[in-house]
Amino acid sequence: MAHVSAAERRPQLIKAAIDLMTREGVAAGSTRAIAAELGVAQATVHYSFGTKADLYRAVMEQITEDLTARIERAAPEGAGFEETVVALAHASWRTVREETTHYRLLTELSMLALRTPGLSEAYRDYYRGMGEVTARLVTEAATRTGYGLAQPAGTIARFFLAGFDGLTLQHLYAPDELSEDIGLRALVSATIALAGGRLELVEMPAG
């Protein structure tokens, strides 16, 4: 059998891990099971990634890269800032509806990461990356359209992601199409209002 380098084997193992864990859940994603999914020795997984946490990090990165690429392609050319935000949010939600199993896998990995040494850092990196991508899209849209942001792009991104993550969890575990539609439209409206300085922020009690 021809030798396959670690660089060539890594994407194959990532795909095998995604296929297996999407089908059977994260708990089934042992290095032995992932190796069996691809038909290679268990040692091949460790040789290619080092640890299971490293493999799981690569899985999160690959899914995120695939989903983000779909969203970025949805950015309309020549549109205004608000229209661009609506289009990107719509594309993001479409990926949730069309790639539900991948979002469920990301959710399972995030819950596992909270209590798994080595994986918690991987998830922090994943979430930080999502924030950076969203902030970049907001910045690019504002720059292209000459739109003055009333809040830092990072703040706007975190606000949007907080609401979007909540809607995603509801869709995964307690779906309600009408409520989801209203919730998404309200979130996008609030995000645009925040970006434009039109969202009135209430005072919160100190402490």
Side-chain angles (χ1 to χ4, degrees):
M1 182 179 296
H3 172 72
V4 178
S5 68
E8 295 174 293
R9 188 65 80 188
R10 284 174 62 90
Q12 296 173 353
L13 286 168
I14 292 171
K15 183 180 185 304
I18 292 173
D19 290 345
L20 173 67
M21 292 191 289
T22 295
R23 188 175 65 246
E24 301 183 21
V26 172
S30 66
T31 55
R32 183 184 299 277
I34 293 169
E37 179 82 5
L38 187 59
V40 298
Q42 184 179 7
T44 301
V45 179
H46 295 289
Y47 175 73
S48 300
F49 287 96
T51 68
K52 185 166 71 172
D54 291 331
L55 173 57
Y56 281 13
R57 180 199 299 266
V59 165
M60 287 189 284
E61 290 174 349
Q62 184 62 57
I63 293 176
T64 304
E65 181 180 323
D66 293 343
L67 295 175
T68 301
R70 290 187 56 179
I71 294 167
E72 290 181 318
R73 289 195 295 269
E77 296 183 5
F81 177 81
E82 295 184 4
E83 184 181 351
T84 300
V85 173
V86 170
L88 292 172
H90 175 70
S92 299
W93 189 246
R94 190 169 64 244
T95 65
V96 173
R97 301 288 295 272
E98 295 176 355
E99 302 290 345
T100 298
T101 55
H102 283 174
Y103 275 96
R104 182 174 291 113
L105 176 54
L106 282 173
T107 300
E108 291 181 20
L109 286 169
S110 70
M111 295 300 100
L112 178 65
L114 292 175
R115 296 182 177 274
T116 305
L119 192 55
S120 57
E121 181 181 350
Y123 188 71
R124 282 196 299 271
D125 289 344
Y126 152 74
Y127 206 81
R128 187 181 301 114
M130 287 297 294
E132 290 172 353
V133 167
T134 305
R136 175 172 59 79
L137 292 174
V138 169
T139 300
E140 289 176 353
T143 300
R144 177 175 56 80
T145 61
Y147 191 89
L149 296 176
Q151 297 287 346
T155 299
I156 298 168
R158 287 177 67 94
F159 174 77
F160 174 77
L161 288 174
F164 192 81
D165 285 351
L167 287 171
T168 299
L169 284 173
Q170 291 178 350
H171 175 72
L172 293 177
Y173 302 109
D176 182 327
E177 187 172 347
L178 176 60
S179 296
E180 290 165 8
D181 178 65
I182 294 174
L184 179 63
R185 289 159 58 194
L187 173 62
V188 174
S189 297
T191 300
I192 291 173
L194 179 66
R198 299 188 302 277
L199 185 65
E200 185 175 348
L201 303 179
V202 301
E203 295 295 329
M204 298 296 292

